[in-house]
Amino acid sequence: MNDAPVVSALDLQREYRMGGEIVHAVRGVTLDVMRGDYVAIVGPSGCGKSTLLNLLGGIDRPNAGTVSIDGARIDRMNDREATRFRLTRVGFVFQRFYLMPALTAIENIELPMAEAKVPSVQRVQRARELLAYVGLEVRRDHRPAQLSGGEQQRVAIARALANKPTLLLADEPTGELDARTGAEMIELLGQVNGDGTTIVVVTHDEELAKAAWRVVHMRDGVIVDDRRRAS
Amino acid sequence: MIERLAFRNLLVRPWRSAFLLFGYSLGVAVMIVLLSIGEALLSQARQEKLVGGGQVTVLPSGIDVEVLKTGGLGGMFFSIDRAHFIYRQMLAAPRLSPFVAAVAPQIEGKLLYARTLGGDEVAVLASGEIPSRTSAVDAMPLIAAGAWSDDALDREWHDPAPRELRHSIDHFHVPPPEAVEDPSWAEWHYFNVLSSDRTRWAFIAFMVTGEVPDGRWGGQVLVTLHEQGGETRRFVANLPPSRIRFSTSTADVAMGESSVTVLADGRYAVRARAIEERGSRPAEVNLVVAPTPGVYFPGAALTTAGVVSGYVVPGLRAEATGSICVAGACEEYRSAQAYHDHNWGLWRGVTWEWGASRAGPYTLLYGRVQPDTSTTAQPLFIYVTDSLGFLGLFRARDIQYEDTRMLRVDGKTIRIPSRGLMTDIRGDDTLRVELTVEDATAMDTRTPSGDRREGLSAREISRPYFIQMKGRMRVSGRVSGRAIAGEGAGFFETYR
């Protein structure tokens, strides 16, 4: 880690209108994530942690407050700019993997690179390296339906790393996995972080939270505790 | 990569892909159709010719412009009341000339049935337009053959000469069926003129009364002369039908040696010969009354609750030049303040509030007719004009009179107004009208001289005294964001 924050969120607020009611999902969150950090955001369901993750990754926009990634104000970007920014600077891993069923494992990993206009030869090479990194080089030509849940999530992580993002955001990455596979996933994320990628993960999984360097507790849209694990 | 994804999807799930492709194609096709319809609607919405051209369409209240485009509601019949007035005094008036380049009056297509000589009925679509105006708003139809241009009536409609305008609004009428046997029917030209020092004035009326044209009817020329603080002198000439000529298409009227004739330039030549009511001295009136262009009241006709009445003011602000002589002693008038209106209808038991006055550059007309059957007073109208014509309309609830003047009428003393006040607020517009009475005359409508053919025994008028006042009007307020203020002389009428 160094002293420069990769992510800097200042007084973030996000409200939703549900019928006639206004739901205050995030109410004034300020959070800096330093380069190389591994942050777990935990809390009860509905406390606003997934909303915060979406705000940090530029998927959603705050009603008030600012979000910067590497100094770029993503809350000010229009949709096109934010999409382009996310493609190359932020990797996402979701609970349900969201792999393209018609594409093979290696093709799924190639997909974001193709969108980023990486030349074919380079992206195939990079995809192979990532498959090897997540331990799935032998499954390169398998489609998602031919892969286990853990394998699919590994492919999803490899895909998230394809464009060498500054920041990896993961929303319940072990939520669909059994305990053993989940443990493998925790190990893989630790490896990814150890190799220099900043990670922010939202989880209910205590084991995953324990693996993080820093645990941020949320309740009712605000951060109620923010602790760094003793190294 | 995306192509590969699409192709691979097709191979992996051919049926689903085919179904989706079909559905998508269908969706796209539907969207294309809908967009085409939408585009056509948008095109139609922008197609000025479909709503008569121009950029603004004026419709009667409650009629949507879509009705015009679609011909909806079964070829609905509607028209704009006072279309002439709206055209000449509002939309195409000089006041709007900086903003309005052209105005095209149109009667949209209406479904009519024409009966042939053979008795067959044929549905036809009838519409009306003025070619030059329609062309000016870029809505000319395609002419298959021949020419489409204004004729004399078209031109007279949109740009009448002063003389044509006078005749069109100031002509005489035959009584409607509900009034044809009513002897209280009357119709008259009325002029007034005020001396430059505002101490002497004259009322001149040319009246056709009775059951016109079939029953007992006749004409009366009435000249009333008054000097401030002095007696009122009345001069009358009663004439039989054989000596009366009036027209339902012109403003001209002839009653014996008296007449009103619209001159070629639109001025009125007023000639009256009458004999003093309580004496034998003759009065001779020879005036030319010149209305100020554009300053007129287009007229209103009321047919309700047994009351039929109409009123138009061709010369709301006018100047009179000529002479009024009594037994050879003449008073000359040079560009004297004058006024001319035209009234018709049944006047049994009817009372009214009325006034017409100058107020600096403004000329105002107010009024209200109160049938004897009505127990609630309608708001007054106050019609405001300036040199560009119609400026605004207000509806004051009432006139707050101060009855502090005393006047003797046929041996009785009655209280009459010394001051009056009308106010109204309409949106951002405000108006305050103060009346100050300088002199007045009164007439008991139950006496023979004031007889309105109602029958003395039948008359139960709560306010029998007809009061004619001369005075000052002071106006202040705001119309269309512009402050107005002015003061001038005028005549007012009420009942007590």
Side-chain angles (χ1 to χ4, degrees):
Chain A
M1 266 197 311
N2 61 34
D3 293 338
V6 174
V7 180
S8 183
L10 179 64
D11 197 23
L12 281 183
Q13 296 179 44
R14 184 69 173 94
E15 298 171 353
Y16 299 101
R17 182 174 292 278
M18 294 183 70
E21 302 239 345
I22 294 176
V23 177
H24 301 277
V26 174
R27 301 186 296 171
V29 168
T30 295
L31 179 70
D32 282 344
V33 178
M34 309 308 285
R35 190 172 302 282
D37 208 349
Y38 186 172
V39 180
I41 301 174
V42 300
S45 295
C47 71
K49 50 188 189 299
S50 290
T51 300
L52 177 61
L53 194 75
N54 290 338
L55 293 172
L56 296 179
I59 291 178
D60 195 3
R61 285 189 186 159
N63 295 110
T66 64
V67 187
S68 301
I69 296 178
D70 274 344
R73 285 283 297 276
I74 57 172
D75 58 284
R76 284 184 175 172
M77 293 178 184
N78 61 33
D79 285 346
R80 181 183 290 269
E81 292 168 339
T83 300
R84 191 71 195 170
F85 186 86
R86 286 196 304 265
L87 179 64
T88 57
R89 307 293 283 277
V90 184
F92 285 92
V93 175
F94 301 98
Q95 183 176 351
R96 292 194 173 176
F97 327 134
Y98 296 133
L99 298 175
M100 292 294 176
L103 298 181
T104 63
I106 193 169
E107 288 169 341
N108 265 287
I109 298 168
E110 281 185 64
L111 194 57
M113 290 188 280
E115 283 296 291
K117 310 297 185 196
V118 176
S120 176
V121 174
Q122 290 178 29
R123 73 183 187 229
V124 170
Q125 179 61 32
R126 169 78 176 156
R128 282 179 179 165
E129 290 170 3
L130 286 168
L131 273 174
Y133 183 74
V134 299
L136 287 177
E137 61 266 51
V138 296
R139 311 284 260 172
R140 57 171 280 177
D141 294 324
H142 288 71
R143 295 196 183 94
Q146 298 167 315
L147 300 174
S148 70
E151 288 171 333
Q152 287 186 57
Q153 194 61 297
R154 284 172 181 270
V155 173
I157 290 173
R159 182 183 61 182
L161 297 173
N163 284 326
K164 301 178 183 174
T166 306
L167 177 67
L168 180 68
L169 301 176
D171 191 358
E172 300 284 6
T174 60
E176 294 270 312
L177 306 177
D178 59 49
R180 186 178 64 81
T181 311
E184 291 174 4
M185 197 54 52
I186 293 169
E187 186 180 346
L188 176 58
L189 289 172
Q191 179 188 334
V192 170
N193 176 245
D195 290 337
T197 302
T198 306
I199 297 177
V200 177
V201 60
V202 163
T203 186
H204 280 108
D205 187 337
E206 289 184 12
E207 295 303 317
L208 179 55
K210 283 180 189 173
W213 292 106
R214 180 181 170 194
V215 180
V216 173
H217 285 260
M218 287 189 71
R219 181 166 294 163
D220 296 333
V222 297
I223 293 175
V224 294
D225 193 32
D226 187 349
R227 297 189 185 199
R228 184 167 294 281
R229 176 163 58 96
S231 51
Chain B
M1 197 75 195
I2 295 299
E3 293 81 3
R4 189 191 304 177
L5 177 61
F7 181 67
R8 199 70 64 73
N9 259 313
L10 190 63
L11 292 179
V12 170
R13 292 191 175 91
W15 282 108
R16 188 175 79 168
S17 298
F19 180 76
L20 287 174
L21 185 62
F22 172 74
Y24 183 73
S25 302
L26 186 65
V28 168
V30 169
M31 284 304 295
I32 289 171
V33 171
L34 289 176
L35 286 172
S36 300
I37 293 171
E39 189 66 28
L41 285 171
L42 195 61
S43 171
Q44 289 187 20
R46 291 171 176 161
Q47 176 52 272
E48 295 162 353
K49 290 185 180 181
L50 288 177
V51 288
Q55 293 166 317
V56 175
T57 302
V58 178
L59 294 171
S61 176
I63 299 295
D64 193 274
V65 71
E66 293 301 325
V67 173
L68 286 184
K69 292 179 187 170
T70 61
L73 302 184
M76 186 172 181
F77 281 74
F78 60 79
S79 60
I80 296 177
D81 287 340
R82 314 265 175 258
H84 278 80
F85 174 74
I86 289 172
Y87 178 86
R88 294 173 192 156
Q89 287 278 290
M90 297 177 75
L91 301 178
R95 196 182 310 283
L96 286 184
S97 62
F99 315 105
V100 179
V103 183
Q106 296 172 352
I107 299 172
E108 276 296 314
K110 294 180 177 181
L111 179 61
L112 299 178
Y113 290 90
R115 183 171 291 127
T116 65
L117 290 175
D120 297 330
E121 287 189 344
V122 181
V124 296
L125 195 65
S127 60
E129 298 182 47
I130 295 178
S132 66
R133 301 297 88 200
T134 297
S135 174
V137 296
D138 193 27
M140 279 285 279
L142 290 172
I143 308 299
W148 196 57
S149 56
D150 291 4
D151 60 18
L153 288 176
D154 290 327
R155 185 203 53 73
E156 187 177 326
W157 198 97
H158 71 77
D159 190 21
R163 180 172 181 271
E164 293 167 335
L165 176 62
R166 309 280 184 264
H167 288 315
S168 70
I169 65 175
D170 201 11
H171 59 80
F172 278 73
H173 306 76
V174 292
E178 59 267 37
V180 75
E181 295 183 354
D182 193 321
S184 76
W185 172 270
E187 178 161 16
W188 66 93
H189 277 319
Y190 167 88
F191 296 84
N192 69 45
V193 58
L194 179 65
S195 67
S196 57
D197 62 359
R198 296 190 291 115
T199 62
R200 294 173 306 286
W201 57 95
F203 305 144
I204 305 118
F206 299 82
M207 186 177 292
V208 178
T209 65
E211 299 169 42
V212 180
D214 300 314
R216 296 176 299 104
W217 70 281
Q220 184 181 70
V221 177
L222 179 62
V223 178
T224 304
L225 302 179
H226 193 90
E227 186 162 359
Q228 189 154 324
E231 287 289 309
T232 297
R233 293 176 292 166
R234 289 162 59 87
F235 301 83
V236 180
N238 291 308
L239 298 144
S242 61
R243 300 197 65 198
I244 299 170
R245 294 287 181 273
F246 68 90
S247 167
T248 54
S249 60
T250 77
D252 295 346
V253 63
M255 295 182 172
E257 298 176 78
S258 303
S259 63
V260 175
T261 307
V262 179
L263 302 176
D265 59 6
R267 294 180 300 162
Y268 290 86
V270 179
R271 172 187 166 90
R273 301 289 182 269
I275 304 297
E276 193 169 22
E277 195 174 42
R278 295 172 182 169
S280 59
R281 293 186 298 172
E284 292 187 14
V285 177
N286 289 291
L287 294 171
V288 173
V289 177
T292 301
V295 184
Y296 66 94
F297 178 67
L302 177 67
T303 304
T304 180
V307 174
V308 179
S309 67
Y311 174 61
V312 62
V313 187
L316 180 55
R317 189 181 181 104
E319 293 184 345
T321 298
S323 63
I324 298 177
C325 304
V326 176
C330 296
E331 174 162 13
E332 299 293 324
Y333 292 86
R334 290 285 177 268
S335 300
Q337 178 175 331
Y339 165 93
H340 164 52
D341 69 24
H342 184 128
N343 304 263
W344 65 95
L346 300 174
W347 305 97
R348 183 191 302 276
V350 171
T351 61
W352 59 78
E353 302 290 341
W354 172 89
S357 178
R358 296 185 182 185
Y362 307 101
T363 309
L364 280 78
L365 176 72
Y366 70 83
R368 171 175 67 200
V369 172
Q370 187 84 5
D372 61 344
T373 53
S374 174
T375 55
T376 57
Q378 296 298 314
L380 295 110
F381 75 86
I382 308 176
Y383 181 82
V384 186
T385 66
D386 63 7
S387 61
L388 295 178
F390 172 68
L391 178 62
L393 181 71
F394 289 84
R395 301 299 304 272
R397 289 182 64 82
D398 215 337
I399 305 178
Q400 300 169 36
Y401 283 117
E402 293 177 19
D403 284 11
T404 58
R405 291 180 74 95
M406 300 294 184
L407 194 65
R408 290 201 52 90
V409 185
D410 298 334
K412 292 185 66 174
T413 301
I414 61 170
R415 285 181 174 274
I416 65 167
S418 57
R419 304 176 68 84
L421 175 65
M422 290 176 279
T423 57
D424 190 27
I425 299 172
R426 304 189 73 75
D428 294 332
D429 289 353
T430 62
L431 189 72
R432 178 183 173 88
V433 179
E434 298 170 75
L435 310 178
T436 303
V437 178
E438 296 175 332
D439 199 5
T441 63
M443 177 171 59
D444 187 344
T445 59
R446 297 166 297 188
T447 62
S449 62
D451 187 8
R452 300 187 300 189
R453 293 172 174 76
E454 296 168 74
L456 294 177
S457 60
R459 188 183 297 121
E460 295 178 356
I461 299 173
S462 59
R463 301 193 302 164
Y465 294 102
F466 174 49
I467 317 294
Q468 291 177 293
M469 301 166 281
K470 191 269 301 184
R472 307 282 293 172
M473 176 183 281
R474 179 181 293 165
V475 170
S476 60
R478 182 171 290 275
V479 180
S480 301
R482 185 162 59 99
I484 65 169
E487 185 174 357
F491 294 94
F492 322 120
E493 294 176 355
T494 187
Y495 283 79
R496 286 294 180 270

